[in-house]
Amino acid sequence: MKEFDYDVAVIGGGVIGCSTARELSRYDMKICLLEKEEDVCSGTSKANSAIVHAGYDAENGSWKARFNVEGNLMMEELSKELDFEFKRNGSMVLCFSEDDMGSLKCLYEKGVKNGVQGLSIISGDEARKMEPNLSEEVVAALYAPTGGIVCPFGLTIAMAENACENGVDFIMNTKVENIEKLEEGYALETSRGKITARFAVNAAGVYSDVFHNMVSEKKIHITPRRGDYCLLDKEAGDHVKNTIFQLPGKYGKGILVAPTVHGNLLIGPTAIDIEDKEATATTAEGLAETIAKSAISVKNIPLRQTITSFAGLRAHEDSDDFIIGEPEDAKGFFDAAGIESPGLSAAPAIGKYLGEMIGTRAGAPKKEDFKAKRKGFIRLNQLSYEERAKLIKERPDYGVIICRCEEISEGEIVDAIRRPLGAVSMDGIKRRVRAGMGRCQAGFCTPKTMEILARERNIPMEKVCKNSEGSELLVTAEQGEE
């Protein structure tokens, strides 16, 4: 048999790539994950609605329907196993006119056929009893108690850390530039040299069409679909308890209003098709649309408490469904392409499906020493007084608060850097322990966090980056004169 560098190479370090890598790490194989940025969770997975959808919206029989419902059912147990934040808060789809009741009932029937449990249609008055801030225009709602919210950073990083602990090589700052189909397996030309693998997994988000089309004559096409969001302060976090949707339209589920697992309030996203796969800047028009449309569903949203806005890109494929598995003319190349909503919800199920398929195809035995559990980060602000005192006695750096808004200590930042697959950038620290995610948006804690990162990585301050290379936050006097 031909010698390969790896049995499996996963392209993309988002939630799908990390889920697949974790499932593959159950098998006795040599696996790598290639990511063009400095950290996992740096693309679509970092900027989305953080929703675990119930599964009523996807077309019956589609990959979206199957993996959404399966992923939703897996999420609670997975959150306990890998120690990340998840909550079943329920969701509502609002109907504003008796003329649209037929569409709401169709959505209900679709959900029942998809296997969603506990669905019901409730009156506008019943909905307002549950959510007093709903619009008076709501005449009915589809209620799904299985809907949930999750931290997308927490989920992705948890799966990545667990995969790393189980032997997956994470090769960061490495861009895949070309893929060559060999007589057996694939050669991946990267920005850091060639890597050969018996199997390849295409989990490259908005770039997944580029890689698919390198190896298959049956072409696919991804349209980046931009979504603008507004994030509100924790004081606004209880404005609604359920995730509030509007009846779906041509571009998806419309503007939502939802609490986050961290206690904030989130509104968005818009759905604007663009060509640039890197265009994640918000626009005044997009944010104005977000604000106007959210007010249709929920009244008195305290927009003055908005602390930041952001935009993310969804990978919309022309077929309007996920593309999962091998192309007929590219055996051993496994697509996870066109992963848009409900991709976050579906990620655990997609990873399991691909992991089992590739493990079986490879004839690889399962590891007897697979580590299924992972312990998450210590959250100082969630500990009791006694627990805090004991921890600070053992680790005095936990008694030094760096991020006042989120009450994040130096100890938490140090651990974020030192853990398996630890943070190497300011954004990496933010995603792991939320330093800089609070009301002041890193206005206070940035200098000290930079000092800690420079110290722990043994690099000069001017080498500290916001994210990937080229995003350094400081310049030397010599650089400033150039």
Side-chain angles (χ1 to χ4, degrees):
M1 182 180 293
K2 177 180 172 60
E3 284 292 321
F4 295 98
D5 297 319
Y6 290 94
D7 294 302
V8 189
V10 179
I11 306 168
V15 69
I16 301 296
C18 291
S19 176
T20 304
R22 190 222 177 202
E23 292 298 328
L24 286 167
S25 72
R26 297 177 183 272
Y27 296 88
D28 189 11
M29 294 191 291
K30 191 175 182 184
I31 303 153
C32 72
L33 184 146
L34 302 163
E35 168 55 48
K36 67 184 179 73
E37 304 297 341
E38 93 293 353
D39 197 5
V40 298
C41 200
S42 293
T44 296
S45 300
K46 76 175 180 183
N48 54 66
S49 304
I51 301 300
V52 177
H53 293 280
Y56 45 72
D57 184 51
E59 293 299 322
N60 300 144
S62 65
W63 284 122
K64 286 184 178 181
R66 171 181 170 173
F67 290 126
N68 185 168
V69 175
E70 288 181 10
N72 178 294
L73 292 173
M74 293 172 67
M75 198 67 73
E76 191 161 358
E77 183 59 34
L78 188 65
S79 71
K80 295 173 183 175
E81 199 169 67
L82 297 182
D83 197 15
F84 60 85
E85 288 164 297
F86 165 70
K87 181 180 179 181
R88 287 203 188 280
N89 65 319
S91 65
M92 291 183 187
V93 181
L94 305 184
C95 177
F96 300 95
S97 168
E98 294 291 346
D99 294 340
D100 291 328
M101 284 299 295
S103 297
L104 197 70
K105 289 174 183 176
C106 285
L107 200 61
Y108 167 81
E109 291 166 2
K110 190 188 292 185
V112 170
K113 287 181 181 178
N114 285 346
V116 181
Q117 300 296 309
L119 285 176
S120 61
I121 293 179
I122 60 176
S123 70
D125 288 339
E126 289 174 305
R128 277 182 288 274
K129 282 183 183 177
M130 297 173 67
E131 293 286 0
N133 287 316
L134 288 188
S135 165
E136 299 299 329
E137 303 299 316
V138 175
V139 299
L142 176 64
Y143 175 59
T146 59
I149 50 178
V150 70
C151 174
F153 318 129
L155 168 60
T156 305
I157 290 167
M159 293 190 295
E161 283 190 356
N162 189 238
C164 182
E165 288 270 51
N166 283 294
V168 175
D169 290 340
F170 281 76
I171 306 175
M172 316 306 289
N173 290 307
T174 304
K175 184 178 181 180
V176 177
E177 297 172 336
N178 190 48
I179 304 175
E180 179 186 356
K181 190 171 16 174
L182 306 174
E183 185 175 337
E184 182 186 357
Y186 294 86
L188 283 66
E189 297 285 352
T190 81
S191 56
R192 295 172 64 184
K194 182 186 287 188
I195 289 173
T196 59
R198 186 177 171 197
F199 302 102
V201 177
N202 175 21
V206 292
Y207 289 96
S208 54
D209 58 344
V210 175
F211 297 125
H212 170 98
N213 294 342
M214 287 177 178
V215 301
S216 175
E217 290 303 315
K218 185 179 179 181
K219 306 305 181 184
I220 66 174
H221 177 252
I222 299 289
T223 300
R225 182 167 285 173
R226 195 189 75 234
D228 299 77
Y229 295 87
C230 292
L231 183 71
L232 280 66
D233 189 60
K234 291 181 179 180
E235 286 190 5
D238 61 356
H239 199 71
V240 295
K241 294 181 174 60
N242 292 261
T243 299
I244 308 300
F245 296 106
Q246 299 162 0
L247 264 174
K250 177 182 177 182
Y251 293 104
K253 304 174 183 68
I255 300 295
L256 63 82
V257 181
T260 73
V261 290
H262 301 295
N264 299 86
L265 188 73
L266 182 70
I267 62 174
T270 52
I272 302 165
D273 289 348
I274 59 176
E275 294 183 6
D276 187 348
K277 294 178 185 285
E278 297 290 334
T280 56
T282 57
T283 65
E285 296 80 8
L287 295 175
E289 180 183 345
T290 296
I291 291 167
K293 289 187 175 179
S294 64
I296 296 172
S297 301
V298 178
K299 60 189 179 184
N300 302 323
I301 297 174
L303 293 166
R304 289 176 65 87
Q305 294 187 33
T306 299
I307 59 174
T308 192
S309 59
F310 62 93
L313 298 179
R314 290 100 88 185
H316 177 73
E317 210 283 322
D318 292 351
S319 66
D320 201 29
D321 197 7
F322 300 156
I323 297 175
I324 307 292
E326 295 170 290
E328 290 181 3
D329 58 348
K331 297 301 179 184
F333 184 90
F334 292 82
D335 278 316
I339 309 297
E340 57 181 340
S341 179
L344 186 68
S345 315
I350 293 173
K352 184 171 185 247
Y353 178 82
L354 290 176
E356 289 177 350
M357 184 183 290
I358 297 168
T360 300
R361 176 75 63 81
K366 285 198 170 183
K367 294 175 182 173
E368 294 183 3
D369 60 347
F370 174 75
K371 303 178 185 72
K373 295 198 172 185
R374 167 258 190 192
K375 181 62 180 169
F377 297 89
I378 294 173
R379 305 292 184 187
L380 191 71
N381 59 12
Q382 295 177 7
L383 300 180
S384 68
Y385 176 82
E386 291 77 14
E387 289 169 329
R388 284 192 187 204
K390 181 181 178 183
L391 177 63
I392 292 169
K393 185 175 182 180
E394 295 171 357
R395 286 273 306 272
D397 55 354
Y398 272 95
V400 181
I401 297 298
I402 303 299
C403 173
R404 294 178 179 179
C405 299
E406 293 288 322
E407 297 180 55
I408 307 301
S409 66
E410 180 174 357
E412 289 161 276
I413 294 171
V414 167
D415 286 352
I417 300 166
R418 292 181 181 176
R419 286 173 72 91
L421 212 62
V424 297
S425 66
M426 296 291 283
D427 282 356
I429 292 171
K430 180 192 291 188
R431 285 193 286 269
R432 283 163 177 79
V433 294
R434 293 185 59 78
M437 278 198 177
R439 183 177 296 177
C440 84
Q441 288 290 290
F444 174 80
C445 61
T446 291
K448 190 61 180 176
T449 304
M450 289 177 65
E451 288 178 14
I452 297 168
L453 185 58
R455 181 192 74 209
E456 290 295 314
R457 296 194 61 219
N458 194 28
I459 59 174
M461 286 276 283
E462 59 267 24
K463 292 293 184 182
V464 172
C465 292
K466 182 181 186 300
N467 38 63
S468 57
E469 187 176 349
S471 64
E472 291 82 2
L473 297 173
L474 299 177
V475 296
T476 62
E478 292 78 10
Q479 289 173 317
E481 292 171 358
E482 291 177 0

